[in-house]
Every structure is written in C-alpha cells, then in structure tokens.
Amino acid sequence: MKRRAWVLLVANAVVMAVLAVVTSLSLDLPLRDPDGFLGPAYLRLPILVGGAFFADLIPRTIWRSHFDPRQFKRQARLIVREHWTRERIQLVLIGLLSFYATYVSYRNLKNFLPFLRVKPNGDPITYDNFMLRLDHRLLLGHDPATVLHHLLGTGVSAYVLSWVYLIFLPMVPIAVIAWVVWSRNVSFGYWFVTADCMAWSLGTLSYYLIPTLGPNFQAPYLYKDLPDTGVASLQDSLISGRHELRFDPFINAVQSVAGFASLHVGITLMMALVAQYTVRNRLIKIVLWTDVVLVTISTTYFGWHYIADDIAGAFIAVFSFWIGAVATGQRFDRRGRSSHPTTTTSRVPVDVED
C-alpha cells in the first residue's frame, strides 16, 4: 500500500497558515515572525540544518577515514551519497517548511487570542477563577504550588526547575532538526514532525476553547516566596508584553500568554513517546522521560499552568503521537510496546535492518 507520509503534515500547515492569515486580515493586525534563540525562525532553521549537516558529516568522515586526511574527501562524498538521499532531502524540506508554517501560525494565532475571545465590554475572556477552584478541589482544598514549594523547597530546586523549563525553548527546533536529519528511517522523521505540528495546532485550538492566563498571572501572591530565576524574568516580560499589546496592537511584539493546555507538557511528552518507538539509544529515552517529569512539575511549581492544563497537554501529546503514527504508516506490535513502518515505497523507504 502506497502512503504519502507528508499529506497530513502539509495539510495541517496549510490550515494553520490560512487561519492565521484570515484572522490577521479580519483584525487588521500584522502577522509576525517571532524571534527565538539564533534570531527569527526563517534564519534559525537553516542555521540549525547546516549545523546538523556538518555535525553528522565531519565526525563520521573522520571515523570512516581512520583519521587519514587523504581519505576525507572520498569518505565525505560517500556519506553524503548514502545518507542525504532524495527521500532525506525531501523530508528535510517538507518537514521544516511545514513546521515553520505551523509554528509561526501558532504564535500569531496565540497573539490574536485577546482580541478575538472578548467580553461585551471588550475585555479578554478568561476562565482562571474556575481553574483555580478546580485545582483546590482536586487537592482537597490545597493549592498545588504551595504543596510543591513545601515539598521541594524554594532554593536550589527553583533554579534547577527554571533551567529545565527554559531549555524547552531551544529544544523545540533542535528536536525537529534531529528527527528530520538523523532519523534512521525516513518515515520516523515524518512521524515526529507530523505529531509535533499536530500538537501545536491542537494546543492553539485549546487556547481558544478555554482561554486562561495561568495561576501565576491570576494569583501572583502564591509565588512571592520563589527566588528571582530566569522563569520569573520571563513571566514578568510576558505579562508586560500582553498589557502593552492590548493598548497598542501594532507594537513589534507577540503576545504569548495562554494557559490551557500546557504545550510544554504536550510537546515534551510527544517527544518522549516518539523516541520510545524510534530511538535505539537507551540514554536518550531516559533523558527525555526524565524531562517530561521535571517539566510537568515545573509548570505547576512556577504557576504557568493549572492541573487541568497539564492533563490536557498529555492528552494532546498522546493523540498527536497516535495520529502521526497512523498518517505515516507505522504499525504497532506486541500490544503497542513496539512498532515498525509499513511504508515501503521509494518515497518513504524502510531500513533493510527493520
């Protein structure tokens, strides 16, 4: 059976881009390419691809040449011919362009949220009071942040969790690059990028269904005992940017405050799930699953998200992981404990060892 593993990936990107453009035109607000580490996404992704290409090529060339400089050129050509096939290049181009369109559209739709979901008086609609009450009921009258602060303390743990939370930002593009460049099977690369883009899209939908700010922005007094970490600086920056944007929608900034659902949880869990089925290195799997646990704790510890946000993020991760597997032709074995690709066309080749 022939499969086009990129159909859902591209379709999702097109839908997100159309929604972003239509919303921009209806609100008469500009679309923006949000900056990140290494600059805007249109610069960041090519830089990362180039870095991944040379990080793949140089060590393997040296190793296969047995450190003989006379063999470097010949071995480098062989490695490029073996690994950078037409299917691999196609995956890199389709995967990165689709991710770029999806992620930039996600950031812009998130930016437009306070102008679309509004009360009759023009104020943004939020469900934070309901979410706060739900958190208390789930913990029998206790606040999740207060419980975590007592259990983990507010010293070294705050700085560790802050680093874990913030490392997510560069991990997002790096993970996409890693899977499209280094996945041992091309269909695994499509699986990851499809699941990743689906998670961003479903997260955008969740923001509009249940708009919230997050407990730190709704009840900041609960977090006054925390030290001045990188997370605290980021939170101050985000809430200031949101207020400035509401009064001047044309400033050169992107509003990034939205609580439900937690895409920190969604993306990290999706990443760990796909790695569990596509990565052979046990250490990488352990690191990614540990990251899921620490990120989930940090979202509540710093008041980024309510408990329901994390649960919704986990649901998005599992659904995106599954729909990405189906779309790219993966078949689960041993009652779901392992999988293998069923795509055998030249477009999405199966490794001979699989």
Side-chain angles (χ1 to χ4, degrees):
M1 178 180 179
K2 293 185 178 181
R3 297 177 184 268
R4 294 183 179 271
W6 46 264
V7 171
L8 178 60
L9 174 64
V10 173
N12 177 78
V14 170
V15 170
M16 287 289 286
V18 169
L19 286 174
V21 170
V22 170
T23 306
S24 172
L25 293 174
S26 65
L27 292 174
D28 195 24
L29 293 175
L31 289 170
R32 294 185 173 91
D33 186 1
D35 287 347
F37 92 114
L38 298 182
Y42 66 84
L43 291 177
R44 187 163 66 248
L45 292 177
I47 290 173
L48 289 172
V49 170
F53 173 79
F54 288 108
D56 173 68
L57 181 64
I58 293 173
R60 291 171 63 190
T61 297
I62 295 173
W63 179 257
R64 286 174 55 164
S65 301
H66 302 290
F67 300 92
D68 183 356
R70 294 171 298 179
Q71 296 293 321
F72 284 176
K73 186 176 180 179
R74 176 175 174 273
Q75 292 300 329
R77 286 178 174 175
L78 287 174
I79 291 169
V80 170
R81 191 179 305 127
E82 292 168 2
H83 186 74
W84 290 90
T85 61
R86 178 175 62 87
E87 288 84 5
R88 177 68 60 181
I89 294 172
Q90 185 182 60
L91 165 62
V92 170
L93 292 176
I94 293 176
L96 292 185
L97 287 174
S98 298
F99 169 74
Y100 174 79
T102 302
Y103 183 73
V104 171
S105 299
Y106 154 82
R107 290 294 302 272
N108 279 278
L109 289 168
K110 190 178 184 181
N111 180 54
F112 298 145
L113 178 58
F115 304 104
L116 284 177
R117 294 284 275 136
V118 296
K119 303 174 184 176
N121 65 359
D123 290 338
I125 294 173
T126 63
Y127 292 92
D128 287 275
N129 288 330
F130 171 79
M131 289 295 195
L132 276 174
R133 292 195 300 269
L134 180 60
D135 270 0
H136 291 158
R137 289 174 182 173
L138 290 173
L139 292 186
L140 304 177
H142 298 284
D143 184 83
T146 303
V147 172
L148 284 177
H149 296 171
H150 285 157
L151 286 175
L152 302 177
T154 56
V156 175
S157 57
Y159 291 96
V160 172
L161 291 174
S162 174
W163 181 85
V164 168
Y165 192 88
L166 295 176
I167 201 68
F168 173 84
L169 302 176
M171 274 184 65
V172 168
I174 289 173
V176 173
I177 298 297
W179 255 276
V180 299
V181 171
W182 287 311
S183 55
R184 57 190 171 89
N185 183 286
V186 171
S187 75
F188 291 164
Y190 281 112
W191 183 2
F192 179 87
V193 185
T194 300
D196 188 59
C197 290
M198 285 298 300
W200 292 112
S201 301
L202 292 173
T204 305
L205 176 62
S206 72
Y207 295 158
Y208 279 82
L209 290 176
I210 307 178
T212 62
L213 299 177
N216 181 276
F217 303 117
Q218 182 68 15
Y221 58 88
L222 294 171
Y223 305 90
K224 294 298 184 183
D225 58 335
L226 293 177
D228 187 16
T229 63
V231 160
S233 299
L234 178 60
Q235 288 172 328
D236 290 341
S237 173
L238 292 182
I239 199 63
S240 296
R242 178 184 173 90
H243 292 324
E244 291 174 5
L245 190 73
R246 283 195 58 209
F247 291 105
D248 183 5
F250 295 95
I251 63 172
N252 188 25
V254 178
Q255 192 281 138
S256 296
V257 179
F260 185 91
S262 170
L263 285 189
H264 265 69
V265 172
I267 297 298
T268 52
L269 177 56
M270 178 280 302
M271 201 181 301
L273 285 169
V274 177
Q276 186 66 35
Y277 287 83
T278 64
V279 175
R280 290 170 172 167
N281 189 292
R282 179 179 174 83
L283 179 60
I284 293 176
K285 295 178 184 179
I286 292 173
V287 168
L288 290 177
W289 282 110
T290 302
D291 187 54
V292 172
V293 174
L294 294 177
V295 164
T296 303
I297 292 172
S298 69
T299 62
T300 305
Y301 183 91
F302 291 110
W304 287 107
H305 293 289
Y306 304 100
I307 294 175
D309 300 350
D310 288 347
I311 294 173
F315 174 81
I316 287 174
V318 173
F319 181 77
S320 299
F321 159 79
W322 174 78
I323 199 69
V326 172
T328 59
Q330 313 301 322
R331 177 173 294 172
F332 292 99
D333 307 309
R334 299 191 303 153
R335 297 184 178 180
R337 294 194 299 275
S338 62
S339 70
H340 71 273
T342 62
T343 47
T344 56
T345 68
S346 62
R347 292 186 182 87
V348 189
V350 175
D351 290 344
V352 293
E353 57 190 321
D354 287 338

